Amino acid sequence: MSPAPRSRVRRAVRWALLLAAVAAVGCCAQPAFLWVGAWVRDKPVTEAVPPGFADDASRMNRTAVAEVWPVPADPAAAEAQLRDLLRRAHEQKLHVSIAGARHSMGGHTIAADGVVVDMLPFKRLELDAGRNVLRAGAGARWSEVIPFLDAHGLSVAVMQSNNDFSVGGSLSVNCHGWQHDKPPIASTVESFRLMTADGTVHRCSRTENAELFRHALGGYGLFGVILDAELRVVPNERYTPASEVVATDRYVERLRVVATDAGMVQGRLCVVPGDDFLRKAVLTAWRRAPCGRAEIPVLNAAGFAGLRRQVFRAQIGSDAGKAVRWRAETAVAERLAGAFFSRNQLLNEGAEVYQERNADRTDILHEYFVPPDRLETFLAAAREVIPRHGADLMNVTVRTVSEDTDTALRYADRDLVALVMLFNQGRDPASDERDAAATRELVDAALAAGGRYYLPYRPHPTPAQFAAAYPGAAAFFACRQRHDPAGVFRNRFADKYAPR
Ligand SMILES: Cc1cc2nc3c(=O)[nH]c(=O)nc-3n(C[C@H](O)[C@H](O)[C@H](O)COP(=O)(O)OP(=O)(O)OC[C@H]3O[C@@H](n4cnc5c(N)ncnc54)[C@H](O)[C@@H]3O)c2cc1C
């Protein structure tokens, strides 16, 4: 007997649902499998550095120190006690290093057996609204600065792509970001107060103590303690993204077209091993979408942190994970067209969303700068060097940085394209040595392309490579010798690269 019509319909619906479920599982099984795997492998450890030691974001630099000394938050107490500390350092022949958020990766905040000055408590913020100038204590982090400025309809003019860093640390490496075609942060500095090794506080600007101004910005804490700074700020704005996938050999040409009226621009290169490896990019320009202040989207906590973390971490050691992220990223880029974002929202992203937290592995950054017309030359070398060393490249962002006319130890000696590379690796000495070998070859490739490399990361480049990339280095260290003849301010970066 044939079934009644209603039960035939029910059976058909059941089959349709089953087929849909099978199709959905087919499409999503691989990503879901990878993300669950990433979640299972993600075993965060709270790794307290033991008393008597200091380390940085690399978790590769644990070093015995005499003490970590937090600066008092109150400006008068901070200055008096810092002066006492410097006097004691002179008397006891102690070295002093300066630490902000400690996201540099080469012991730049650490002097062996020395005193680490922890600047984070020194974070007072004041706005001079008439001049659009922010006065920020050097210990303030961007995650504190951005909400403060947001409440006044303002935004940071130049900063990194994450909000974790301190103002003092950002000035001392002369950071740059993805604010389109802007010079590094020094260009936004009106003035700062610097306590030099003899305990004197100097106001430094382009016209007052100009030599200290040029050397302490990008000076890696070797000229004194930056106490606070006056930074020019800009209006918070509304942006709308326009994205496209481009071949890297057309990146610069397309950038010039899509960046019209863009406040921020960033490219992400494909890191999937194979034909597209460092040959394709998602190029996104965040164009200005002018509106009244009330229509600028409110500043929120960044969403989907858990999912974004798993998508990112699923790439570790996995070509499939990298392919899934690339597909997800290109799809999301298309979907964002027409949406609105505030400038402050884009800037207010923490690095911890993606950070490696397992005990045996770490994330290491590299950054290379090349003239725009040599981008492809550098990438051709990178495509060969990176796989040969078995390096696990997780992310590459591409930005532009305009010429820096303010600092002595400058990387942007002309308009350049910056490539920020994030690698995941073991924390063991063999992995570090593999990273060192790859770094030195990539530095050679950047130099051969007329470029530079960035200094806050692992100190793997040789002194000869450093001298080639920074021809002003000898004069920089000679100036340091004049301002701090006893070499009170010291760190592992200077230990490696300062002349003896
Ligand atoms: C995930 C990640 C993303 C990054 N993205 C970018 C980016 O987009 N663009 C970019 O340019 N860089 C980027 N960086 C590098 C970053 O800008 C630097 O490492 C920066 O120094 C971090 O600030 P910090 O507060 O952690 O500085 P720290 O690491 O604490 O210090 C860095 C240097 O500044 C000195 N210093 C700190 N405070 C003072 C002070 N008050 N006075 C004098 N000297 C001081 C220290 O002695 C040290 O030499 C990134 C780093 C990481 C880990």
Side-chain angles (χ1 to χ4, degrees):
M1 225 168 71
S2 66
R6 269 180 84 182
S7 69
R8 261 208 313 265
V9 170
R10 246 186 257 130
R11 203 187 309 159
V13 168
R14 258 188 249 128
W15 272 106
L17 285 174
L18 185 64
L19 283 175
V22 169
V25 170
C27 292
C28 303
Q30 190 201 27
F33 179 72
L34 288 164
W35 298 339
V36 169
W39 177 73
V40 170
R41 285 192 305 275
D42 198 5
K43 294 201 169 56
V45 281
T46 330
E47 204 170 312
V49 177
F53 289 84
D55 204 342
D56 57 28
S58 69
R59 296 186 295 148
M60 300 287 282
N61 284 314
R62 187 174 288 190
T63 306
V65 294
E67 127 188 40
V68 177
W69 182 75
V71 174
D74 172 66
E79 275 182 45
Q81 292 184 28
L82 203 46
R83 201 169 281 122
D84 286 347
L85 172 74
L86 293 175
R87 195 174 305 127
R88 180 158 66 90
H90 270 289
E91 285 164 9
Q92 298 178 4
K93 298 200 180 337
L94 277 174
H95 294 294
V96 174
S97 66
I98 310 162
R102 302 185 217 195
H103 278 275
S104 48
M105 296 184 162
H108 301 72
T109 54
I110 306 166
D113 300 320
V115 178
V116 181
V117 175
D118 170 9
M119 290 301 292
L120 291 185
F122 200 74
K123 57 181 185 182
R124 188 172 290 197
L125 299 174
E126 274 173 55
L127 182 68
D128 184 339
R131 292 164 60 222
N132 269 4
V133 165
L134 172 75
R135 283 198 203 95
R141 294 176 187 240
W142 297 126
S143 54
E144 292 153 338
V145 170
I146 292 168
F148 175 83
L149 289 177
D150 194 76
H152 294 90
L154 295 167
S155 183
V156 182
V158 171
M159 60 172 273
Q160 301 89 333
S161 49
N162 298 105
N163 65 5
D164 312 71
F165 316 114
S166 71
V167 168
S170 302
L171 295 179
S172 301
V173 301
N174 194 21
C175 74
H176 70 98
W178 48 300
Q179 299 79 30
H180 185 54
D181 267 349
K182 295 283 178 234
I185 192 171
S187 62
T188 73
V189 179
E190 288 279 306
S191 68
F192 57 87
R193 293 189 316 132
L194 180 79
M195 185 179 286
T196 44
D198 61 1
T200 311
V201 175
H202 308 265
R203 186 173 185 279
C204 306
S205 70
R206 289 174 185 78
T207 51
E208 254 176 290
N209 297 304
E211 182 176 75
L212 283 173
F213 183 86
R214 290 177 62 72
H215 286 79
L217 295 175
Y220 287 86
L222 297 173
F223 286 81
V225 181
I226 297 176
L227 298 169
D228 37 44
E230 290 196 325
L231 305 177
R232 277 195 296 277
V233 292
V234 295
N236 188 19
E237 292 180 313
R238 190 174 68 157
Y239 296 140
T240 187
S243 288
E244 58 183 66
V245 176
V246 289
T248 52
D249 56 3
R250 295 194 59 223
Y251 188 89
V252 174
E253 176 196 331
R254 288 302 303 158
L255 174 72
R256 291 197 177 115
V257 177
V258 301
T260 317
D261 202 29
M264 320 232 298
V265 178
Q266 182 150 264
R268 278 194 201 282
L269 298 189
C270 176
V271 294
V272 185
D275 291 348
D276 291 343
F277 181 68
L278 304 186
R279 277 196 178 82
K280 279 190 180 165
V282 186
L283 167 60
T284 305
W286 298 82
R287 295 202 179 120
R288 294 190 173 84
C291 67
R293 192 170 151 192
E295 291 158 89
I296 296 183
V298 290
L299 189 60
N300 286 316
F304 304 110
L307 178 63
R308 285 186 295 137
R309 178 172 178 82
Q310 294 331 324
V311 173
F312 192 81
R313 305 307 303 176
Q315 300 183 103
I316 299 171
S318 166
D319 295 1
K322 292 180 176 79
V324 166
R325 177 171 176 238
W326 174 249
R327 284 203 301 274
E329 198 153 60
T330 44
V332 168
E334 274 168 25
R335 300 255 151 75
L336 288 182
F340 292 115
F341 296 82
S342 81
R343 177 186 173 93
N344 282 338
Q345 190 71 54
L346 298 176
L347 296 177
N348 203 27
E349 164 103 5
E352 78 284 354
V353 175
Y354 305 113
Q355 220 162 41
E356 177 62 81
R357 300 178 195 144
N358 285 337
D360 57 342
R361 300 194 70 78
T362 184
D363 294 323
I364 294 296
L365 280 155
H366 295 202
E367 184 165 353
Y368 304 97
F369 305 94
V370 290
D373 60 348
R374 305 301 299 282
L375 175 62
E376 204 47 29
T377 313
F378 174 75
L379 284 177
R383 282 176 207 128
E384 192 275 316
V385 171
I386 292 169
R388 180 157 46 75
H389 287 276
D392 197 0
L393 180 57
M394 307 271 289
N395 195 55
V396 185
T397 59
V398 187
R399 307 100 181 256
T400 54
V401 52
S402 301
E403 185 185 352
D404 166 15
T405 54
D406 289 300
T407 71
L409 196 65
R410 61 180 185 160
Y411 49 89
D413 64 336
R414 68 192 100 158
D415 296 351
L416 293 166
V417 173
L419 295 117
V420 184
M421 300 180 172
L422 178 80
F423 294 91
N424 186 272
Q425 65 174 64
R427 287 171 73 193
D428 53 293
S431 301
D432 196 36
E433 196 32 62
R434 270 197 299 277
D435 179 46
T439 304
R440 291 195 272 267
E441 289 192 35
L442 290 168
V443 169
D444 277 343
L447 291 171
R452 303 266 182 274
Y453 71 94
Y454 199 24
L455 299 174
Y457 302 130
R458 304 285 296 140
H460 291 321
T462 63
Q465 287 179 317
F466 171 66
Y470 290 88
F476 171 88
F477 284 115
C479 184
R480 171 199 182 215
Q481 179 68 25
R482 287 198 298 281
H483 288 281
D484 179 11
V488 169
F489 293 111
R490 186 161 166 181
N491 56 43
R492 290 178 56 177
F493 164 73
D495 289 347
K496 171 133 190 188
Y497 297 110
R500 280 160 210 281

